Amino acid sequence: MEPTAADLVTWLDAGSATLLEHAGDLTRLGSDDLAGLAAGAAKIVNAAKALQAAVVMEARERGVIAASDNPKTAAWVEQSCRDAGVPLAPAQARGLDEVSRTCSTPDVARLKDAVVAGECTVESAAIIASTYRRLSPKVDVRGWDTVLDQLIGWLGEGATRKNIAEFEDVLLSQYGTETTLEDEHEQKRSNRTMSALTLNSKTGMFESKIVMDPVNEAVFSAALHALSKPHVDPDTGEHDPRTPGTRRLDALVTMAKHATNPDKTVRGSGAAARIIVTIPLADLVGGLRRTSLAEQLG
């Protein structure tokens, strides 16, 4: 006979009590046993989180959450923690919200199966869910199961959200629609910009913001890294005292100085720095009559 909901709750309550009872008395165990016990506890935690995710997804799908006093998934999960008398976990609640929303889409049934089976943690599934929403318009629907398998595998091996973002071009090149990758690169290239240098009145320093597409960044970084390496003084043997940030700025200035050397193939090169002084004609003439312009400027 299949267990009822009440049977499952009773079993879970008894299991949690047993685990907490043993957690408070580990001194009697041998040191060699602790690694195996830690692995067993990790397995229990993984299974418990899989069950929690399955319950939340089922409750959302049936409309239980929408009809409750906490119609938002994250709030509903947090209330379940309060009802159980356990510490709130807002980040876990947000992750379950992300996963349950995305897994309601048939295209990502593979992700839902992986979460429920404990093959993919809720934290990893939340990263995959946000990646799916971002890439879904750009990936051929027939390739999604394969993409999900790769993402689940990468995250299971320890990949981070940043790593997954870096893998996106690889995924698009393999599974994207015919022009997706080219369109993506062109869009990024069209968004490149650099603001004019502005004076920060508090620090007296000039500031600018640079936004680069990956191709330009690769060229820029290669030159910057080559020119910003720390050096050792050949005479004294002292190491470069400059910070990495200072070295990078010095490298940028060095590149700008190179641009002042005339090169027929580079438009605008050979333009030396100039200082322009603006002064009214009357003041200029009057100043020249009394003393030299240099003395007037002081």
Side-chain angles (χ1 to χ4, degrees):
M1 180 175 19
E2 293 292 330
T4 64
D7 293 334
L8 290 174
V9 170
T10 300
W11 181 82
L12 289 170
D13 286 342
S16 344
T18 301
L19 290 172
L20 292 175
E21 178 185 347
H22 289 298
D25 182 24
L26 297 179
T27 54
R28 59 189 177 77
L29 300 179
S31 299
D32 294 340
D33 299 326
L34 295 180
L37 190 59
K43 188 180 294 186
I44 291 293
V45 169
N46 188 58
K49 286 186 175 182
L51 176 60
Q52 183 187 31
V55 171
V56 171
M57 287 189 283
E58 188 71 19
R60 182 187 180 90
E61 188 175 327
R62 293 189 190 186
V64 172
I65 295 177
S68 71
D69 293 334
N70 296 284
K72 293 187 176 179
T73 302
W76 191 84
V77 172
E78 290 184 7
Q79 185 59 49
S80 71
C81 293
R82 295 188 189 95
D83 293 342
V86 299
L88 292 178
Q92 177 81 357
R94 289 193 297 272
L96 286 165
D97 177 32
E98 180 95 40
V99 173
S100 62
R101 279 188 292 122
T102 304
C103 287
S104 61
T105 305
D107 293 346
V108 287
R110 172 71 184 93
L111 178 60
K112 180 178 180 180
D113 292 343
V115 172
V116 172
E119 181 186 348
C120 180
T121 67
V122 170
E123 293 81 5
S124 293
I127 295 174
I128 294 173
S130 62
T131 302
Y132 168 78
R133 286 205 308 278
R134 186 167 55 256
L135 296 185
S136 56
K138 307 169 186 176
V139 173
D140 189 326
V141 67
R142 293 169 297 180
W144 259 116
D145 279 354
T146 305
V147 171
L148 291 173
D149 278 334
Q150 291 200 15
L151 291 174
I152 291 168
W154 285 337
L155 286 161
E157 293 170 0
T160 63
R161 185 182 293 272
K162 181 180 178 181
N163 297 145
I164 295 301
E166 292 169 349
F167 288 145
E168 285 185 8
D169 271 2
V170 177
L171 294 174
L172 289 176
S173 67
Q174 294 179 345
Y175 306 105
T177 53
E178 190 171 341
T179 60
T180 293
L181 194 58
E182 292 80 0
D183 291 345
E184 187 86 1
H185 287 170
E186 186 55 39
Q187 182 179 0
K188 288 178 180 177
R189 179 173 169 75
S190 66
N191 290 333
R192 70 193 189 283
T193 183
M194 176 178 175
S195 65
L197 287 164
T198 57
L199 178 65
N200 184 321
S201 58
K202 293 183 179 179
T203 63
M205 305 289 282
F206 284 87
E207 301 175 352
S208 178
K209 180 179 179 181
I210 299 175
V211 179
M212 287 187 179
D213 61 284
V215 175
N216 281 330
E217 184 278 331
V219 175
F220 181 79
S221 293
L224 202 65
H225 291 162
L227 293 171
S228 63
K229 292 179 180 178
H231 64 266
V232 177
D233 190 302
D235 299 323
T236 64
E238 292 183 0
H239 290 279
D240 198 329
R242 298 175 299 166
T243 64
T246 302
R247 294 200 309 272
R248 284 192 291 271
L249 180 60
D250 289 347
L252 185 60
V253 173
T254 299
M255 286 191 279
K257 287 179 179 177
H258 281 300
T260 63
N261 297 323
D263 185 342
K264 293 181 180 179
T265 63
V266 180
R267 186 180 62 178
S269 65
R274 294 177 296 175
I275 298 177
I276 299 175
V277 179
T278 304
I279 184 171
L281 178 61
D283 292 345
L284 177 61
V285 174
L288 287 173
R289 287 173 179 169
R290 293 192 303 272
T291 181
S292 70
L293 178 60
E295 290 173 340
Q296 286 291 314
L297 295 176

